[in-house]
Amino acid sequence: MEAPSALPISSPPAPDWASLVDLQTRLNTILDFEALVQEALRESAAFSGAARAVILFTDDVAATEDSVIRPVGVTGYVPATLRSLRETIAFSTHDADPAIAAWSRREVYHDAAHEALRSLVTAVEMQAWVGLPIVVRGMLMGALILDLPELPAAPVVAWLKSLANSIGVALRNARLHSQATSSLNARMNELAILQRIDLELSEQIHASHVFDMTLDWVLRYTGSNAGTIAVYDEDSDVLKFVAEIGYEAPEATRTMVRNAADGGIAKRVAHSARSELIPDVSNDPDFAPVSTVMRSHLSVPVMKEDRVIAVISVESRKLNHFNDDHLTFVERLAARAGNAMDNARLFSQTSSEREKLANILLNITDVVVVFNAEDRLVLMNQSAYPVLRLYTDGKYEGQSAEAVLEGTDLLPVYTEARKLQDTISQELQMPNGRTYSAHLSFHSHVGCIIVLQDITEAKETDQLKNELIATVSHDLKQPLTVMQGYLELLLMSTQMEGRPLEYVRAAQRSIANMRGLIDDLLSLAKIESGIQLNMRALDLKTILDRCISDLGASAEMKSISIKLDVPDGLMVQGDHLSLGQIFNNLIGNAVKYTPPEGKVTVNCERRGDVVVVTVADTGLGISPEDQAKIFNRFYRVRRPETEMIDGTGLGLAIVKRLVELHRGHIGVDSRLGEGSRFIVTLSAGKDPEI
């Protein structure tokens, strides 16, 4: 609309402070916000003689540090045009605009050159003007703008500033009163409904019941003619309609129409995570005409945390049927339904997972036993019964670990693992006469998971293999020594370069690798035959420092940092050479299998009568399948990333046997792509026996 023509400007009267008090009192008695704005505009224009007055006020009556102010009243503007101004023009109280900057300093701003608030000044066609800050409770909440050619005298400005602040207090009170009254009435009406809905939804754990009940309440409250609930999978971007009421078209037709519209308005709401109220669906290009008689539409997303999990949609045969109250109710119901839908989904998923787990455990030949944090049995598969000598028809769930594992070598290992709260791997002879590889690991939210793998045949094969290896290894060393000697003589007697020299060097490297393998084989055979350890109290830091020093060059070549954390004076009971061999191998493997610029960490701590050493890396990680075999002789992880890494597959087998000779334990905790953690448990240092 065109702005009203400017009125003649008259000089404002002298300030009358007594009349200001009366005006403040009168303004504070007006609780209708719009009526108060009009009265404030009239009084401001009447006193100042301004042709036009504008009031800017914040939407946030809580008066935050950074709020938005927008025009709530303009002299001569009708509500429809003013609504457009309110929706399109707004300023932050932290805006760099010169007028707002002045108001933030509690100063009056005079503008005669269109330098400030250009969008507002242009819209209301103001020329020179004076802006006074509206400050409530020490916070800038708006401004009173008067169409004046020049700044009034100081007494008049002081009077107008007081008036502006009085208007601000009255507007704040009116808005709070209006909001409180309307909110209370609406909430009282909704509260009874939502309480009943909460009660009904809380009793449902089946998804179909939750969907039907939610949709029924939405239709009843909004007076809709039809509605749907569609669950949404954000990862696959699929919207699946799971509940429908009020549509007469066959299901196949409804599906075809929605597919043609790519989910329609509901899919759009799922993408935006924002509710939509469509007064006239004929103007919406995404409307899916499942029913041609529908005229208006309302869709609300159902959220779980920050994800859309479903969309509730209702439609009416009437144009512009839905209002803000309908939208608010459906959004509140959606918030409640979100929890119920997710609980129903989790119940269904949990039931399915439990059934799947039961079938998996039933067909696993390895023994699986799980105890909770209170040492009570929570899970055991069928393979465990004969191994632990338990009755197949016995009720063992909830019994203590001591009762379930009584009479087996597994009980003391479990007791020690629980005391350490860490991972332990050990070979055990079970009551059924067979040998098992036991892997015990503790998890904070589960308890202790025990897996026993039958390795009886593997142990027997290893014994035969050891005997063969011990015999063959000695016979292999002599020809290797001869070949190495002749190659050295060849280099000394013949001047070589280029490819011939490369061939000789390759042969020497191959001989060295073969000698390393033979040395490992002989070392393992010696250990298996029962070597004597020189057990005494040793300073652990000295041993580890030596190992890290020996591996420094290898780590430096790959820019790998090795961090050692060991308390001073920490003593361990063991054989000096054997402990060096153990930690040289573990730290060396960590460096070998960690990509460049990675990190290897060695932590040591005393726990009661034992010392726990953890060697962790940020390397390739080991799969659960490989973890069960890495301590076997000659076993190497076969993956593309390990193809170029040298090794004999005997190092960890030697480490495990040496740890066991120290009456200790070794375990591994690893995940692919996240690195590995080897945990060695040894006896704490004490005076040697005399």
Side-chain angles (χ1 to χ4, degrees):
M1 65 170 286
E2 293 185 2
S5 59
L7 299 175
I9 299 174
S10 58
S11 300
D16 183 353
W17 294 98
S19 66
L20 178 61
V21 175
D22 293 337
L23 178 57
Q24 289 172 337
T25 303
R26 182 155 52 85
L27 291 176
N28 282 322
T29 61
I30 303 174
L31 295 178
D32 182 270
F33 186 83
E34 299 299 338
L36 176 60
V37 169
Q38 295 304 316
E39 183 66 16
L41 288 172
R42 282 194 296 272
E43 291 293 341
S44 302
F47 176 81
S48 64
R52 179 173 299 155
V54 178
I55 295 177
L56 302 177
F57 199 67
T58 180
D59 293 331
D60 181 12
V61 292
T64 59
E65 287 289 339
D66 184 11
S67 54
V68 174
I69 56 176
R70 61 180 74 249
V72 296
V74 180
T75 303
Y77 272 65
V78 298
T81 309
L82 184 59
R83 185 182 304 114
S84 176
L85 282 179
R86 289 179 178 178
E87 292 175 354
T88 58
I89 297 177
F91 306 97
S92 167
T93 54
H94 279 181
D95 202 303
D97 186 281
I100 296 176
W103 296 336
S104 298
R105 299 190 299 268
R106 311 301 186 258
E107 297 173 359
V108 177
Y109 183 81
H110 177 244
D111 191 345
H114 281 250
E115 295 179 353
L117 307 182
R118 292 187 180 181
S119 58
L120 174 64
V121 172
T122 301
V124 300
E125 299 181 2
M126 293 179 69
Q127 301 302 318
W129 52 273
V130 174
L132 303 105
I134 292 178
V135 179
V136 181
R137 295 188 175 183
M139 303 297 298
L140 177 65
M141 299 188 72
L144 172 62
I145 299 175
L146 301 171
D147 191 359
L148 296 174
E150 59 186 24
L151 191 67
V156 175
V157 170
W159 196 93
L160 288 172
K161 287 181 70 174
S162 296
L163 173 61
N165 291 336
S166 299
I167 291 172
V169 172
L171 288 175
R172 180 178 182 277
N173 293 338
R175 179 160 281 173
L176 287 173
H177 177 269
S178 175
Q179 290 177 351
T181 302
S182 59
S183 176
L184 181 61
N185 291 335
R187 289 294 291 160
M188 289 294 291
N189 183 38
E190 289 181 17
L191 186 59
I193 298 175
L194 291 176
Q195 283 180 333
R196 183 176 174 185
I197 292 173
D198 283 340
L199 180 62
E200 292 182 0
L201 287 177
S202 65
E203 295 175 349
Q204 296 297 329
I205 56 175
H206 296 289
S208 60
H209 294 166
V210 172
F211 297 144
D212 292 341
M213 188 179 302
T214 301
L215 189 55
D216 178 64
W217 274 109
V218 172
L219 290 170
R220 277 195 274 173
Y221 186 88
T222 61
S224 305
N225 298 112
T228 64
I229 292 180
V231 295
Y232 179 62
D233 186 339
E234 184 178 15
D235 296 331
S236 61
D237 192 28
V238 172
L239 195 69
K240 180 182 179 182
F241 289 83
V242 294
E244 299 187 56
I245 297 178
Y247 294 105
E248 297 178 356
E251 181 180 354
T253 302
R254 300 196 303 267
T255 301
M256 181 181 65
V257 172
R258 291 185 181 119
N259 288 341
D262 192 23
I265 299 171
K267 187 71 166 289
R268 190 171 70 204
V269 168
H271 287 165
S272 67
R274 292 194 299 270
S275 303
E276 290 198 29
L277 193 158
I278 315 297
D280 184 358
V281 295
S282 64
N283 297 324
D284 195 304
D286 291 330
F287 173 65
V290 176
S291 172
T292 56
V293 298
M294 297 302 169
R295 293 291 178 265
S296 54
H297 181 103
L298 172 65
S299 277
V300 173
V302 179
M303 308 292 295
K304 185 60 180 178
E305 296 176 349
D306 59 344
R307 292 169 61 93
V308 176
I309 63 171
V311 178
I312 301 174
S313 302
V314 287
E315 295 181 336
S316 172
R317 296 188 182 98
K318 299 178 183 178
L319 285 171
N320 201 24
H321 173 76
F322 302 105
N323 55 40
D324 290 342
D325 290 338
H326 293 146
L327 177 61
T328 300
F329 176 82
V330 179
E331 286 179 337
R332 288 175 177 164
L333 178 56
R336 289 163 166 77
N339 290 326
M341 290 178 187
D342 197 55
N343 290 340
R345 178 188 64 81
L346 290 174
F347 174 77
S348 175
Q349 188 178 36
T350 301
S351 300
S352 175
E353 289 299 322
R354 286 182 65 88
E355 183 177 353
K356 186 188 302 182
L357 178 61
N359 289 328
I360 292 172
L361 291 175
L362 184 64
N363 292 282
I364 287 180
T365 56
D366 291 347
V367 174
V368 179
V369 183
V370 181
F371 293 100
N372 63 18
E374 288 74 38
D375 283 339
R376 298 290 171 179
L377 180 69
V378 294
L379 187 147
M380 181 170 62
N381 68 347
Q382 291 294 318
S383 300
Y385 287 90
V387 175
L388 300 177
R389 293 289 180 90
L390 299 174
Y391 296 105
T392 55
D393 58 350
K395 302 297 182 182
Y396 297 100
E397 187 171 344
Q399 290 194 19
S400 67
E402 185 175 358
V404 175
L405 305 179
E406 184 181 9
T408 71
D409 291 342
L410 185 57
L411 181 57
V413 178
Y414 171 82
T415 303
E416 184 171 356
R418 177 167 178 75
K419 180 172 65 176
L420 297 174
Q421 289 291 302
D422 220 326
T423 301
I424 285 183
S425 297
Q426 187 167 326
E427 292 180 4
L428 298 173
Q429 191 83 12
M430 297 304 288
N432 62 355
R434 299 184 70 81
T435 304
Y436 289 83
S437 173
H439 183 82
L440 295 82
S441 59
F442 275 87
H443 304 268
S444 57
H445 301 295
V446 179
C448 181
I449 300 176
I450 303 173
V451 179
L452 302 181
Q453 186 179 31
D454 190 343
I455 58 171
T456 305
E457 284 78 10
K459 291 292 290 183
E460 293 172 354
T461 302
D462 279 345
Q463 182 61 34
L464 294 174
K465 185 164 52 178
N466 286 340
E467 294 174 2
L468 175 63
I469 288 170
T471 303
V472 173
S473 297
H474 284 285
D475 296 335
L476 287 175
K477 290 192 75 173
Q478 183 178 1
L480 287 176
T481 303
V482 173
M483 285 188 285
Q484 179 66 30
Y486 278 118
L487 286 174
E488 291 176 357
L489 286 174
L490 183 61
L491 288 173
M492 293 171 60
S493 60
T494 307
Q495 188 71 25
M496 288 190 178
E497 59 183 19
R499 287 188 177 274
L501 182 59
E502 291 180 13
Y503 297 152
V504 172
R505 295 300 186 196
Q508 287 181 320
R509 286 194 298 272
S510 297
I511 292 172
N513 290 337
M514 182 64 75
R515 288 185 65 91
L517 175 59
I518 293 172
D519 289 341
D520 283 345
L521 290 172
L522 293 175
S523 178
L524 185 58
K526 182 179 178 182
I527 293 170
E528 292 289 352
S529 65
I531 62 172
Q532 295 297 317
L533 300 181
N534 181 20
M535 302 292 287
R536 56 194 177 94
L538 301 169
D539 181 47
L540 185 57
K541 188 174 187 302
T542 301
I543 296 172
L544 293 174
D545 280 338
R546 178 63 180 273
C547 293
I548 293 173
S549 175
D550 292 343
L551 296 164
S554 300
E556 187 175 348
M557 287 178 61
K558 297 176 68 176
S559 299
I560 292 175
S561 65
I562 303 179
K563 179 183 177 183
L564 175 62
D565 183 7
V566 53
D568 291 334
L570 183 61
M571 305 297 286
V572 64
Q573 195 76 9
D575 177 78
H576 187 276
L577 292 177
S578 298
L579 290 180
Q581 192 173 0
I582 290 170
F583 294 117
N584 252 318
N585 198 299
L586 291 178
I587 300 172
N589 276 356
V591 172
K592 188 187 299 183
Y593 289 96
T594 296
E597 299 184 359
K599 182 174 19 175
V600 175
T601 306
V602 183
N603 287 315
C604 309
E605 61 175 315
R606 179 161 182 165
R607 301 181 189 172
D609 296 332
V610 299
V611 172
V612 178
V613 182
T614 304
V615 180
D617 61 58
T618 57
L620 305 175
I622 307 168
S623 69
E625 179 184 1
D626 289 325
Q627 288 180 42
K629 303 175 183 177
I630 57 173
F631 294 107
N632 294 347
R633 298 167 186 82
F634 301 106
Y635 186 83
R636 295 195 64 211
V637 176
R638 299 297 180 186
R639 285 165 44 201
E641 302 95 320
T642 64
E643 289 294 330
M644 303 304 295
I645 300 177
D646 293 332
T648 63
L650 291 172
L652 288 178
I654 293 173
V655 167
K656 184 174 186 296
R657 188 64 186 120
L658 288 174
V659 170
E660 290 173 350
L661 288 175
H662 281 77
R663 299 187 181 277
H665 302 286
I666 183 170
V668 61
D669 182 17
S670 181
R671 290 177 178 81
L672 285 176
E674 298 181 14
S676 304
R677 231 175 30 108
F678 284 85
I679 306 102
V680 178
T681 305
L682 301 167
S683 298
K686 56 187 177 181
D687 293 334
E689 296 179 2
I690 300 176

